[in-house]
C-alpha cells in the first residue's frame, strides 16, 4: 500500500496506479477508501473495472454489473472487461444476459475462462449435459486448470455420478503431474 501511495502522489491521474492502490487498500481492510479512490477516475475503464471487482468482493453483484458495464463502454476493445461483466451477470442471477455475452465472446475466440463461465450458465439453467460439455471444452484448452477440473467434478458429484467424478479427477491428476 505504501509503495502505491508514493506512486500515486507522483502520478495522481494514472489509472493503473489508482487501481493497484485501490486493491492494496481493500486487502488492508480499507474498503471505503478503496472505492473512493477509483471513483475519482470514473472516466477510466481500468478504474471502473477495479470498482466492479470491489463490488464483487463485497457480493454487491448488481453494482458490479453496473461498474463492469461502464468499463466496457469506456473501452470496448478489452475483452477482459467483458468476461468480468459476464461473470457479474451470473452472480447477479442475470443468466440470460450472461449467456448472450458469453456466446458472442466464444464466437469471437474461445478460451477456457469463457467455456468455464458458460458451464456456470448452463448449470444455472439446469442444463447439466451442456455444463459438462462446457467444462470439458475448457479443460481441453487448459488441462492443468484445477478450478475448472473441480467445477466438472463438482457437477458430477452434485448429480450423484460418482464414477464420472472419480474418472474426471483421475484424468486431471494424470495431466497435471
Amino acid at each position: 500500500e505504501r509503495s502505491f501511495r508514493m506512486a500515486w502522489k507522483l502520478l495522481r491521474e494514472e489509472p493503473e496506479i489508482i487501481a493497484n492502490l485501490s486493491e492494496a487498500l481493500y486487502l488492508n481492510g480499507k474498503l471505503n477508501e478503496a472505492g473512493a479512490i477509483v471513483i475519482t477516475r470514473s472516466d477510466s475503464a481500468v478504474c471502473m473495472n477495479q470498482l466492479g471487482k470491489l463490488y464483487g468482493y463485497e457480493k454487491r453483484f448488481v453494482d458490479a454489473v453496473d461498474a463492469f458495464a461502464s468499463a466496457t463502454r469506456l473501452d470496448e476493445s478489452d475483452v477482459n472487461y467483458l468476461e468480468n461483466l459476464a461473470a457479474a451477470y451470473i452472480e447477479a442471477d442475470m443468466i440470460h444476459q450472461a449467456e448472450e455475452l458469453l456466446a458472442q465472446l466464444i464466437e469471437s475466440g474461445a478460451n477456457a475462462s469463457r467455456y468455464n463461465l458458460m458451464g456456470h450458465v448452463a448449470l444455472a439453467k439446469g442444463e447439466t449435459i451442456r455444463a459438462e460439455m462446457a467444462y470439458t471444452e475448457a479443460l481441453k484448452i487448459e488441462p492443468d486448470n484445477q478450478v475448472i477440473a473441480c467445477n466438472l467434478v463438482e457437477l458430477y458429484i452434485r448429480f450423484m455420478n460418482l464414477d464420472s467424478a472419480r474418472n474426471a479427477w483421475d484424468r486431471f491428476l494424470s495431466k497435471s503431474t
Side-chain angles (χ1 to χ4, degrees), residues 8 64 66 72 88 104 121 165 176-177:
W8 183 54
D66 292 341
T72 61
Q104 293 169 5
V121 165
S176 64
T177 57

Side-chain angles (χ1 to χ4, degrees), residues 25 30 32 34 52 61 70 77 79 122 124-125 127 132 137 148:
L25 290 166
K30 301 172 184 173
N32 290 337
F61 300 119
S70 291
S77 66
V79 293
K125 293 176 72 177
E127 299 172 356
E132 177 186 21
E137 284 301 311
I148 298 169

Side-chain angles (χ1 to χ4, degrees), residues 46-163:
V46 170
C47 289
M48 289 301 92
N49 187 63
Q50 175 62 21
L51 183 61
K53 288 179 183 181
L54 294 174
Y55 285 139
Y57 296 153
E58 295 298 308
K59 302 196 180 321
R60 293 175 52 187
F61 300 119
V62 173
D63 292 328
V65 164
D66 292 341
F68 289 132
S70 291
T72 61
R73 281 190 299 275
L74 290 164
D75 183 356
E76 296 174 1
S77 66
D78 193 322
V79 293
N80 293 316
Y81 302 151
L82 292 169
E83 284 187 29
N84 289 344
L85 177 58
Y89 278 146
I90 293 167
E91 294 293 344
D93 203 28
M94 301 169 77
I95 302 303
H96 179 71
Q97 293 90 329
E99 184 173 35
E100 281 184 2
L101 180 54
L102 286 167
Q104 293 169 5
L105 287 170
I106 289 171
E107 188 175 305
S108 70
N111 67 25
S113 173
R114 293 170 190 174
Y115 276 122
N116 186 51
L117 289 171
M118 190 59 91
H120 296 340
V121 165
L123 198 54
K125 293 176 72 177
E127 299 172 356
T128 56
I129 293 171
R130 190 167 158 230
E132 177 186 21
M133 290 171 45
Y135 294 141
T136 301
E137 284 301 311
L139 284 171
K140 286 179 185 175
I141 297 168
E142 287 184 20
D144 293 336
N145 190 313
Q146 185 176 9
V147 170
I148 298 169
C150 286
N151 288 338
L152 180 60
V153 169
E154 182 182 357
L155 171 75
Y156 289 138
I157 290 171
R158 183 185 290 184
F159 294 98
M160 298 304 294
N161 192 340
L162 300 181
D163 288 336

Side-chain angles (χ1 to χ4, degrees), residues 12-13 16 29 44 74 86 124 147:
R12 276 193 113 48
E13 297 299 314
E16 286 80 10
S44 162
L74 290 164
V147 170

